[in-house]
Amino acid sequence: IYCAVPKQSKPGNFLEDWYMGKTHTDDTVLRINIHSGNSTTLVNPKEKTEMNFISDNQAGAHPAVLAAISDAAAGLAESYGEDALTAAAESAVRDVFETDCAVFFVTTGTAANALAMSALCPPWGAIYCHEGAHIQNDENTAVELYTGGARMVSIAGDGGKPDVALMRSHMEIATVHGVHNAKPGAISLSNVTESGTVYRPEEIARYRQLADEFQLNLHMDGARFANAVVSSGVSPADVTWRAGVDCLSFGLTKNGGIATEAVVMFNPALAEQFAFRRKRAGHLWSKQRFLAAQWLALLENGLWLENARHANAMAEQLAAGFAAHDTIRLPWSVDANELFPVIPEALRGQLREAG
């Protein structure tokens, strides 16, 4: 039994007013074991509450995800992705994108990105991305390993988006040098970007045009794809394959999942050998139904978008608080659930002391 105990009852018909939302109290929340009579305090309004804004990677899993995993444990099921839950989850992803895409579940965003790039770029190729991109700075040499040696080419640009003209210049130089330089092979965009900004379909189309000009594949790192979709106000299809994206690393781990990542191939030619790449890399789970169950829990009834909507709204609220403080600067627009405030050192210390 969980029991909320008000510190002080208010006059009048308190229970009815509380139920109707006309009044509230600062409650101490207790967990009571009805068999032993022991109680544990879960929330005490007088205690200091610590707030953690470090990363959505530190958050727990959504209760619906945990329940789905528990349900998936009942009985027996086919192994290595041949089970009914995996088939249903793959179908649910296809429904999200309104197209017959190929879906491959993996367990980490690094695996999704590195495996995707191995299918999109040859070992002698070059992958063009923003200088702050995750695949460039935060995934060790996973991309180089899985591609067999493809070169990362970082491109500067405002707000986490690589400058198209500068990217074209790099490609032109590489093309002129022929076999003496890495052959342009792929473009990778992060949406949400590492600066917290979001791409619109028309922006993605500019990179697609460049990719067509140099016969390249276009990849999207969607570790926070749900937040990007909610922010853009368009459909998942509009910011992926309809805008020219060939492959998406689709992540929901930061959105309430545990190991909820997938490579979504919109180009059938790129998907032909991907099942073998995933198996060779050790990312084909024998009990894949436990991955699939998480996807179903988050995609069904739009929970993934509801979670993202909430996260974005909280980020917007936090940004408004920063904006009201004349010593705090936000270098980029807050499009989704990432903020990078520049806070004076003295104020940072005060905030940490306050929890």
Side-chain angles (χ1 to χ4, degrees):
I1 295 176
Y2 293 85
C3 181
V5 182
K7 288 293 183 183
Q8 180 179 358
S9 296
K10 297 186 178 182
N13 192 352
F14 169 72
L15 288 177
E16 183 67 21
D17 288 345
W18 172 82
Y19 176 76
M20 297 296 292
K22 296 178 182 178
T23 188
H24 71 278
T25 65
D26 291 328
D27 297 337
T28 297
V29 180
L30 306 174
R31 179 172 57 199
I32 302 173
N33 186 320
I34 60 174
H35 300 292
S36 66
N38 295 329
S39 65
T40 304
T41 301
L42 300 179
V43 177
N44 185 339
K46 290 186 177 180
E47 292 180 353
K48 178 180 174 181
T49 301
E50 183 175 313
M51 293 177 284
N52 189 326
F53 298 103
I54 293 175
S55 171
D56 44 18
N57 287 301
Q58 297 192 6
H62 194 281
V65 168
L66 297 176
I69 293 173
S70 179
D71 291 344
L76 303 176
E78 295 290 334
S79 57
Y80 295 105
E82 299 297 326
D83 58 281
L85 284 179
T86 294
E90 290 173 350
S91 178
V93 173
R94 285 190 281 269
D95 288 344
V96 164
F97 292 101
E98 308 171 63
T99 191
D100 189 20
C101 49
V103 183
F104 302 90
F105 297 124
V106 295
T107 54
T108 72
T110 295
N113 284 334
L115 281 169
M117 299 317 304
S118 76
L120 271 61
C121 184
W124 54 86
I127 301 167
Y128 298 84
C129 61
H130 188 264
E131 60 186 359
H134 209 75
I135 61 171
Q136 166 75 11
N137 300 302
D138 296 283
E139 292 176 340
N140 202 285
T141 55
V143 173
E144 290 86 344
L145 173 66
Y146 280 77
T147 58
R151 177 181 296 171
M152 306 292 294
V153 180
S154 60
I155 307 294
D158 295 334
K161 301 175 182 180
D163 184 89
V164 175
L166 183 58
M167 185 179 286
R168 174 181 281 106
S169 175
H170 277 269
M171 292 177 183
E172 289 173 345
I173 292 172
T175 303
V176 169
H177 285 177
V179 296
H180 300 286
N181 208 328
K183 178 179 170 58
I187 297 172
S188 181
L189 307 174
S190 299
N191 199 19
V192 178
T193 74
E194 286 74 15
S195 296
T197 57
V198 167
Y199 284 97
R200 310 299 169 184
E202 58 273 17
E203 292 178 292
I204 300 169
R206 295 174 62 201
Y207 297 97
R208 177 72 260 173
Q209 183 178 359
L210 184 60
D212 290 340
E213 184 179 336
F214 288 87
Q215 299 181 353
L216 313 181
N217 294 308
L218 181 58
H219 167 258
M220 178 173 285
D221 180 353
R224 295 178 176 84
F225 183 69
N227 305 89
V229 170
V230 168
S231 175
S232 66
V234 299
S235 72
D238 288 336
V239 286
T240 52
W241 64 271
R242 284 181 184 148
V245 173
D246 293 304
C247 173
L248 169 72
S249 297
F250 187 5
L252 289 182
T253 302
K254 296 174 175 62
N255 190 252
I258 297 174
T260 323
E261 308 289 331
V263 175
V264 182
M265 291 287 192
F266 301 109
N267 185 335
L270 297 172
E272 290 178 3
Q273 299 178 351
F274 197 83
F276 294 92
R277 294 181 185 274
R278 177 178 62 172
K279 175 63 177 177
R280 179 175 179 265
H283 273 270
L284 177 61
W285 271 34
S286 62
K287 296 182 180 180
Q288 191 166 281
R289 66 185 185 274
F290 293 112
L291 302 183
Q294 298 178 58
W295 282 91
L296 288 171
L298 289 166
L299 294 183
E300 287 180 345
N301 302 316
L303 179 59
W304 69 297
L305 296 176
E306 180 184 330
N307 290 347
R309 220 171 266 118
H310 174 74
N312 287 10
M314 293 300 98
E316 184 178 352
Q317 183 176 328
L318 189 57
F322 287 143
H325 204 292
D326 57 8
T327 65
I328 298 177
R329 181 175 64 88
L330 288 168
W332 304 293
S333 62
V334 180
D335 294 348
N337 68 323
E338 291 182 288
L339 299 90
F340 302 92
V342 180
I343 305 174
E345 186 175 352
L347 180 56
R348 286 204 306 271
Q350 295 172 16
L351 291 172
R352 288 196 183 98
E353 289 179 5

